[in-house]
Amino acid sequence: QVQLVESGGGSVQAGGSLRLSCAASGHTYGPYCMGWFRQVPGKERERIATIYTGGGGTWYNDSVKGRFTISQDTATDMLYLQMNSLIPEDTAMYYCAARTSVGACTVGALTGSGYWGQGTQVTVSS
């Protein structure tokens, strides 16, 4: 079974930067896509950025466009999220997720057909 482990979270001041990492293991092929999602207690998990292997593109939530950059090492299936110009609204638990089958890389699709890490906390203070 695929295992995902996030790291790199922490506490920063508004305007600061963090780089999150996600290590994937236990899979034979793929992944087809990987992504970053975040969740605040009591609220629905939201998709932040996703990236598709094999020449696929990237997707960014409007709330992070121009500030966050998703990247992937296709040789190791390591996923990264460079977060710049952080604001308090970015405070959340950040999760990485992936799927090895063809399909959407959204919260809904990954809930049923993907794999999730345990999350890493990001806290941005003003």
Side-chain angles (χ1 to χ4, degrees):
Q1 191 81 312
V2 175
Q3 182 176 353
L4 304 173
V5 180
E6 304 95 334
S7 62
S11 298
V12 298
Q13 290 287 117
S17 299
L18 284 174
R19 187 192 187 211
L20 306 184
S21 300
C22 175
S25 62
H27 56 282
T28 302
Y29 300 105
Y32 175 74
C33 71
M34 298 186 74
W36 289 99
F37 304 78
R38 67 188 182 190
Q39 187 169 27
V40 176
K43 296 187 179 297
E44 186 174 329
R45 190 168 299 187
E46 65 176 353
R47 181 187 182 194
I48 300 304
T50 50
I51 187 167
Y52 299 83
T53 59
T58 57
W59 180 94
Y60 291 94
N61 191 299
D62 286 344
S63 66
V64 305
K65 283 183 178 178
R67 300 189 298 118
F68 292 9
T69 302
I70 188 171
S71 61
Q72 181 184 34
D73 183 335
T74 57
T76 62
D77 291 324
M78 184 72 73
L79 183 72
Y80 303 98
L81 184 68
Q82 179 65 48
M83 305 186 294
N84 298 325
S85 301
L86 286 161
I87 58 177
E89 289 76 15
D90 294 321
T91 296
M93 183 71 75
Y94 283 71
Y95 301 88
C96 68
R99 66 183 298 158
T100 56
S101 59
V102 174
C105 210
T106 60
V107 172
L110 290 168
T111 296
S113 301
Y115 303 91
W116 295 84
Q118 296 302 304
T120 184
Q121 179 68 38
V122 171
T123 301
V124 184
S125 61
S126 60

